[in-house]
Amino acid sequence: MKNTPYSLTIDGKRVFCAETAPALNPATEQPICNVPLASREHLEQAVAAARAALPGWANSAIAERQFRVSRLGDLIEQNQEAFIDLLITEQGKSRAGAQWEIGGSIHWLREIAKQSLEEQVSSQGDVEVVTRHVPIGVIGAITPWNFPLLLAVWKIAPALVTGNTMVLKPSPHTPLCTLWFGELAQQVLPPGVLNVLSGGNELGQWITEHPAIGKISFTGSTATGRHVMQSAAVNLKRLTLELGGNDPAIVLPDVDAKAIAKDLFWAAFANSAQFCVACKRLYVHEDVYQDVARELTAYAKNVKVGNGIEADTQLGPLQNRMQFEKVSQLLEASQAAGLTFLLGGKPIQQPGYFIPITLVDNPPEDSRVVAEEAFGPVLPLLKYRDIDEVIARANDTPYGLAATVWGKDIVKAEQVARRIEAGTVWINQAHVFAPDIAFGGHKHSGLGIENSLHGLAEYCNVQTIMRKVLP
Ligand code: NAD
């Protein structure tokens, strides 16, 4: 693992701070190291560096930018095992989870580096119309703690390929992989193109208010997303907001419960359910409810929860105390409301932010465990009878991030999928992402798209040039 102290990266240089805060390992609550806390002055320096780097970077050939972004993937690959260990230690996830995230970060950098937005030329009488995509300028990127490096890469790669420069702020809970990546990136990027600052939530607020930043790309909660949108209004910043969700899964009556139990489990519990697109409400047709409940419980009982650094751990702790307390309170409220648990239900008494895998048996639709995004391993199973009724229940949420439908009859499953108000609907699978597949939320789950050429276009202004040749 990296053993030098962590620093900010500003204008290609490592910068140390007078103020620091400890980073904690969520599986042990033991300190890992100290993390620099950037001041307003550091932000000013980073924005000035990003502005100074902009003309050179924006006007460089796209092939040059693509090459350098792809090289960023090589830098992670050269340190892959160390990144995996660091991610397990700071985030708490299992080794398989960390391998998925670090491998994904390499893959995304390389694949987004192959993307480009071609100029289009059309004729209108004797006028030629050129439509091109130009960079916005300095991008402020703000990321959460569930997939710290991958979600940063989802922003860095398209922003840099399209010619923007960036000031990036990781979550105060998981800054280490991102800080290290920022440091390494200076081997292949010109100074000032990618600046990385760690700090508290106030640093995020300063970034969103900064008049020299042209766009905010934010991933985090819906509540914070609202603040971001308000602050960004100061200079009409462009926005991409990837926010929270309360994703439904709908299990149709023709499923084989045993055959889908494993996939259903991971749809809900991957990354200890700290997943924006985790299945958070499992609607099961009454004909198969008992079978699904039995098979899911049987599968869940054999999943090993523990410190991700241990080889057999499949699910780690929650990432931080705040989240642990939030989910613990949800469990207490569910106990107090007299809900029935198929599994789990009480916090585990041991160091670390561990919550047991919890399955709640058919709670009322208006209970907190159904209405709220738990962002922890607590899943309500809900019985339904009629397809119109369950679609109405699935859509009865301010969120619209993703959903899943499970059924053998693929035509019926797709008919259901098309009626769900969500940015992504997976059929008989979950959490399938790719650099060329558009991802974004409907309703309160966000604004704009990440990944695919739609995602690339989010980092650009469109410019129209109309040429008319003089006689
Ligand atoms: P959060 O909103 O608390 O924090 C996200 C980031 O915003 C952090 O870096 C934080 O420091 C920063 N921040 C906090 N206050 C700010 C402010 N006023 N202005 C600007 N920045 C500020 O979210 P979190 O708890 O880190 O992440 C969990 C949430 O993220 C969940 O709701 C989850 O569903 C969502 N999420 C969404 C996606 C997606 O793609 N839609 C992906 C992952 C997580």
Side-chain angles (χ1 to χ4, degrees):
M1 232 161 38
K2 173 179 157 60
N3 53 17
T4 53
Y6 288 85
S7 60
L8 313 179
T9 295
I10 301 175
D11 202 15
K13 297 183 213 57
R14 299 184 68 196
V15 174
F16 294 92
C17 297
E19 261 200 276
T20 60
L24 296 185
N25 179 335
T28 61
E29 299 178 62
Q30 294 302 308
I32 308 168
C33 63
N34 282 331
V35 181
L37 296 179
S39 62
R40 247 186 212 272
E41 183 53 30
H42 289 123
L43 176 61
E44 290 306 329
Q45 291 165 5
V47 173
R51 276 174 69 96
L54 191 60
W57 184 250
N59 292 315
S60 63
I62 183 163
E64 170 76 18
R65 299 196 298 268
Q66 289 170 323
F67 172 73
R68 289 178 191 257
V69 168
S70 170
R71 287 276 295 116
L72 293 175
D74 301 344
L75 293 174
I76 301 179
E77 191 176 53
Q78 285 155 17
N79 297 282
Q80 194 160 354
E81 289 310 314
F83 266 112
I84 288 168
D85 283 346
L86 183 60
L87 183 57
I88 294 170
T89 311
E90 75 163 332
Q91 205 284 334
K93 58 186 70 194
S94 67
R95 185 159 295 277
Q99 285 164 340
W100 185 83
E101 177 166 353
I102 299 300
S105 302
I106 299 167
H107 178 66
W108 250 262
L109 285 161
R110 289 181 175 158
E111 292 302 310
I112 300 282
K114 295 175 187 162
Q115 295 181 348
S116 60
L117 296 160
E118 303 302 325
E119 281 189 16
Q120 289 175 343
V121 182
S122 62
S123 294
Q124 305 256 337
D126 59 350
V127 175
E128 273 191 329
V129 182
V130 182
T131 307
R132 59 192 292 257
H133 288 85
V134 296
I136 292 170
V138 178
I139 308 295
I142 301 175
T143 52
W145 44 259
N146 54 349
F147 294 92
L149 192 62
L150 184 60
L151 295 178
V153 161
W154 281 21
K155 302 181 187 313
I156 296 165
L160 267 50
V161 163
T162 46
N164 301 277
T165 59
M166 179 173 276
V167 175
L168 165 64
K169 187 198 92 65
S171 165
H173 299 294
T174 52
L176 301 181
C177 285
T178 314
L179 287 172
W180 187 25
F181 175 75
E183 197 185 305
L184 290 174
Q186 306 314 309
Q187 294 174 26
V188 301
L189 296 175
V193 168
L194 177 64
N195 305 274
V196 183
L197 306 185
S198 51
N201 292 343
E202 67 287 355
L203 175 62
Q205 170 96 23
W206 302 336
I207 291 173
T208 57
E209 289 168 350
H210 202 291
I213 291 180
K215 174 184 171 103
I216 299 294
S217 181
F218 172 84
T219 304
S221 64
T222 297
T224 310
R226 278 199 191 91
H227 289 299
V228 170
M229 199 165 181
Q230 270 171 346
S231 314
V234 176
N235 63 331
L236 296 177
K237 285 185 180 66
R238 278 68 181 134
L239 283 175
T240 300
L241 301 176
E242 293 289 357
L243 308 177
N246 194 1
D247 294 2
I250 298 181
V251 178
L252 300 175
D254 66 352
V255 296
D256 173 346
K258 197 174 175 62
I260 64 165
K262 179 181 174 191
D263 287 348
L264 275 184
F265 178 85
W266 291 108
F269 291 99
N271 209 41
S272 298
Q274 301 163 113
F275 209 159
C276 52
V277 293
C279 156
K280 292 167 186 150
R281 298 173 287 151
L282 179 57
Y283 291 100
V284 185
H285 192 271
E286 61 181 8
D287 288 356
V288 286
Y289 184 89
Q290 291 307 337
D291 294 349
V292 170
R294 184 187 64 247
E295 295 298 334
L296 192 60
T297 307
Y299 184 86
K301 276 182 177 159
N302 289 318
V303 172
K304 167 89 193 307
V305 179
N307 185 335
I309 215 75
E310 290 157 15
D312 59 344
T313 291
Q314 292 170 282
L315 286 180
L318 295 189
Q319 199 285 323
N320 57 70
R321 173 154 293 282
M322 179 201 70
Q323 191 61 24
F324 173 76
E325 280 170 4
K326 197 180 135 203
V327 179
S328 300
Q329 280 162 14
L330 186 64
L331 289 184
E332 278 164 28
S334 303
Q335 299 270 10
L339 303 186
T340 312
F341 296 86
L342 297 165
L343 194 66
K346 291 205 170 108
I348 302 169
Q349 298 304 323
Q350 68 178 72
Y353 307 131
F354 289 97
I355 297 276
I357 298 165
T358 297
L359 298 170
V360 189
D361 188 13
N362 203 25
E365 195 73 12
D366 61 356
S367 55
R368 281 185 55 194
V369 77
V370 180
E372 291 178 19
E373 180 191 37
F375 224 58
V378 181
L379 177 69
L381 279 68
L382 300 142
K383 213 179 274 186
Y384 77 87
R385 176 171 298 172
D386 173 73
I387 201 69
D388 291 333
E389 162 225 325
V390 75
I391 290 171
R393 286 164 73 187
N395 286 336
D396 186 18
T397 164
Y399 295 109
L401 192 56
T404 56
V405 182
W406 305 79
K408 280 188 184 157
D409 183 334
I410 196 79
V411 175
K412 269 203 189 131
E414 186 168 344
Q415 283 168 353
V416 174
R418 285 174 180 270
R419 295 173 64 191
I420 297 178
E421 297 163 357
T424 301
V425 187
W426 289 289
I427 299 174
N428 296 327
Q429 57 182 344
H431 311 162
V432 181
F433 299 97
D436 57 352
I437 298 178
F439 174 71
H442 294 186
K443 304 198 281 189
H444 295 193
S445 289
L447 206 67
I449 292 291
E450 292 200 291
N451 302 328
S452 79
L453 294 186
H454 294 289
L456 208 61
E458 297 252 334
Y459 288 92
C460 300
N461 284 318
V462 172
Q463 184 182 51
T464 304
I465 294 179
M466 301 180 68
R467 12 183 221 236
K468 183 175 177 187
V469 179
L470 288 175

